[in-house]
Amino acid sequence: MEFQSFLIKYAEIGVKGKNRYIFEDKLVSQIVRALRQVDGEFEVWKTSGRIYVDAKSEYDFDEVIDALKHVFGIVGICPLLQIEDQGFEDLCRKVVSYIDKRYPDKKMTFKVVARRARKNYPVDSNYINAKLGEAILMAFPEIRVNVHNPDIYVNVEIREQINIYTEVIPGPGGMPLGTNGKAMLLLSGGIDSPVAGYMISKRGVSLDAVYFHAPPYTSDRAKQKVVDLARQVSRYSGPIHLHVVNFTDIQLYIYEQCPHDELTIIMRRYMMKIAEHLAKENGCLALITGESIGQVASQTMQSLTVTNEVCTIPVMRPVIAFDKQDIVDIAEKIGTYETSIQPYEDCCTIFVAKHPVTKPNLNVIRGSELKLQEKIDELMEAALSSIETICIE
Ligand code: ATP
Ligand code: MG
């Protein structure tokens, strides 16, 4: 069965008062962007609290639904039968024929839900519910009504045209991209950070990303894995500028100068400093990490506090209270899991101590960092001036 149109349902953005049109316009432009990746021509338009996608050519149904499922702000996608108002009898006939085609085996219960948005339609919604229900029962004796828990709702909206739909395919929810500024994601090759980026982006935040690369200790394949992850996240978040920082010399210098059990924590403080610098340079208002309390030594409450201390902009840690399995579930849903578990080395694990501190003391760490005074500024500058930026569309 071919649908010419889709009704797009959105929730939260409906309640933003005077700003509402801004949110709706962003959602429309994000839908347009998503559909550009699909074969076919589409028109996306809005009218009084409704957004429609009209197909203007042949298209692949599954491709369109898949594209729309990646657009934040959409809560439901309803394949739509749109008809002209040619009287109530005609409406009944067309709904019956629609059900016949859409549900060939008819093993189901239903309920009609009519809404009369155009008040000059000659019959009211109660009448439509009752009479259309009757017409369906007469046409298909095997179908039953169930007003409390039907298998399908036959939705009928009387507007200038009449919208009929029985399916609401869930969208990702959230808020349209571009409604909440931009943040810098610290993207490693692991499971957690892509999920963290997805979660913040879901609230309408665009993303830039930074990856700390340590060649030759980390390979080109490890870097490619991060590029692949950024691409997967960008299907939701829109284009990402991925900044690849060569972190090797800084890491080696810390390794030479500082106690090895403090290496990870000191290294993480320098990562955050560089990420914050890049964030400010690129108009990002916050950092995002995939940290989760207690997951590893560098993520105890004490470690997180010491790491956080170098930052002056907010650090968002959306998976902070998640169990690993909860994070894995999201990674699987958004399609990053398979890439994340590919076995490539990470710069955090290369020089890792056997017994890293789990309760670092800020003053002790600062004391150790004094041993870096001679060369660290120079090395930071070198790292910042040799960044490779990859544009991921
Ligand atoms: P992930 O699964 O995201 O790699 P993790 O459980 O391995 O996280 P860590 O290695 O301690 O945890 O890293 C914590 C967070 O620090 C990551 O979620 C990520 O945001 C950031 N991070 C770690 N390594 C890098 C890296 N090489 N480049 C960029 N960010 C990194
Ligand atoms: Mg990691």
Side-chain angles (χ1 to χ4, degrees):
M1 165 144 203
E2 270 287 302
F3 290 96
Q4 279 333 210
S5 297
F6 299 86
L7 170 65
I8 303 300
K9 296 206 163 188
Y10 49 92
E12 279 186 74
I13 65 172
V15 298
K16 295 287 175 190
K18 275 188 277 182
N19 289 334
R20 175 173 165 155
Y21 77 95
I22 300 175
F23 287 78
E24 288 172 339
D25 287 350
K26 293 279 187 199
L27 182 53
V28 167
S29 67
Q30 290 304 320
I31 294 172
V32 169
R33 179 181 67 81
L35 290 172
R36 254 187 239 130
Q37 286 144 46
V38 173
D39 280 336
E41 266 182 63
F42 304 91
E43 195 184 328
V44 185
W45 55 287
K46 62 165 195 170
T47 173
S48 54
R50 286 274 181 275
I51 291 175
Y52 296 97
V53 173
D54 290 345
K56 296 287 171 194
S57 67
E58 299 271 296
Y59 69 93
D60 183 89
F61 182 85
D62 293 338
E63 250 179 52
V64 167
I65 297 299
D66 183 57
L68 295 173
K69 279 183 159 185
H70 285 79
V71 179
F72 290 137
I74 295 182
V75 294
I77 307 151
C78 314
L80 208 61
L81 172 66
Q82 265 190 336
I83 61 172
E84 299 296 329
D85 176 13
Q86 291 171 344
F88 185 64
E89 303 270 293
D90 177 72
L91 168 65
C92 290
R93 259 196 312 278
K94 284 178 178 150
V95 171
V96 164
S97 136
Y98 165 86
I99 288 178
D100 195 20
K101 277 192 231 146
R102 188 74 187 141
Y103 302 97
D105 66 3
K106 316 270 181 316
K107 287 198 192 90
M108 64 196 183
T109 59
F110 78 101
K111 174 184 180 175
V112 178
V113 181
R115 263 174 304 252
R116 191 174 56 149
R118 175 160 63 81
K119 295 297 172 199
N120 68 359
Y121 193 72
V123 294
D124 69 10
S125 33
N126 285 335
Y127 183 91
I128 300 173
N129 290 342
K131 294 292 172 190
L132 180 55
E134 253 175 58
I136 295 170
L137 288 172
M138 296 268 279
F140 312 112
E142 60 274 53
I143 298 185
R144 297 260 173 282
V145 172
N146 181 340
V147 288
H148 298 298
N149 189 21
D151 297 324
I152 65 162
Y153 288 90
V154 178
N155 294 283
V156 177
E157 289 186 352
I158 310 286
R159 297 176 173 267
E160 280 320 303
Q161 290 190 310
I162 300 174
N163 292 334
I164 296 148
Y165 61 93
T166 53
E167 256 176 296
V168 184
I169 300 162
M175 305 188 85
L177 277 178
T179 54
N180 264 318
K182 189 163 74 164
M184 179 67 71
L185 169 65
L186 283 87
L187 182 61
S188 68
I191 296 169
D192 308 327
S193 46
V195 170
Y198 163 86
M199 287 175 73
I200 294 298
S201 181
K202 187 174 172 193
R203 301 305 301 166
V205 179
S206 305
L207 300 180
D208 261 20
V210 52
Y211 167 58
F212 295 91
H213 188 36
Y217 304 99
T218 59
S219 63
D220 274 351
R221 265 311 285 139
K223 173 174 146 191
Q224 184 57 43
K225 178 180 169 185
V226 174
V227 172
D228 293 345
L229 286 170
R231 183 162 293 116
Q232 285 153 2
V233 173
S234 79
R235 275 213 71 195
Y236 290 93
S237 71
I240 294 178
H241 287 129
L242 172 65
H243 309 276
V244 180
V245 177
N246 186 326
F247 203 50
T248 315
D249 291 345
I250 295 177
Q251 245 180 327
L252 287 174
Y253 189 49
I254 300 172
Y255 190 73
E256 280 165 20
Q257 303 292 321
C258 301
H260 288 181
D261 60 347
E262 294 171 6
L263 183 77
T264 308
I265 210 85
I266 294 174
M267 195 184 79
R268 293 199 51 75
R269 280 163 60 90
Y270 280 98
M271 278 189 181
M272 298 302 257
K273 279 189 201 176
I274 293 175
E276 174 163 320
H277 182 95
L278 280 174
K280 289 179 176 166
E281 233 174 33
N282 290 281
C284 298
L285 300 172
L287 302 179
I288 306 168
T289 75
E291 289 160 309
S292 160
I293 298 172
Q295 208 186 73
V296 286
S298 60
Q299 296 175 25
T300 61
M301 286 294 282
Q302 292 84 351
S303 298
L304 288 167
T305 307
V306 172
T307 307
N308 198 65
E309 194 263 342
V310 298
C311 300
T312 65
I313 60 175
V315 181
M316 296 175 171
R317 300 176 171 92
V319 300
I320 194 73
F322 280 36
D323 293 346
K324 193 73 185 187
Q325 188 57 49
D326 300 333
I327 303 172
V328 166
D329 289 347
I330 299 180
E332 283 179 331
K333 187 182 84 181
I334 66 174
T336 53
Y337 183 72
E338 288 303 319
T339 308
S340 288
I341 59 172
Q342 288 171 12
Y344 296 104
E345 60 294 317
D346 177 79
C347 78
C348 285
T349 52
I350 300 283
F351 300 96
V352 84
K354 272 218 183 73
H355 300 288
V357 283
T358 53
K359 292 184 180 144
N361 173 294
L362 181 57
N363 289 327
V364 173
I365 297 293
R366 278 186 180 149
S368 301
E369 284 177 353
L370 287 178
K371 298 177 191 140
L372 301 171
Q373 264 174 340
E374 197 187 327
K375 282 205 310 193
I376 194 74
D377 288 347
E378 191 188 315
L379 293 177
M380 290 269 279
E381 248 165 62
L384 285 167
S385 61
S386 64
I387 285 173
E388 178 197 5
T389 298
I390 303 170
C391 295
I392 289 162
E393 299 285 339

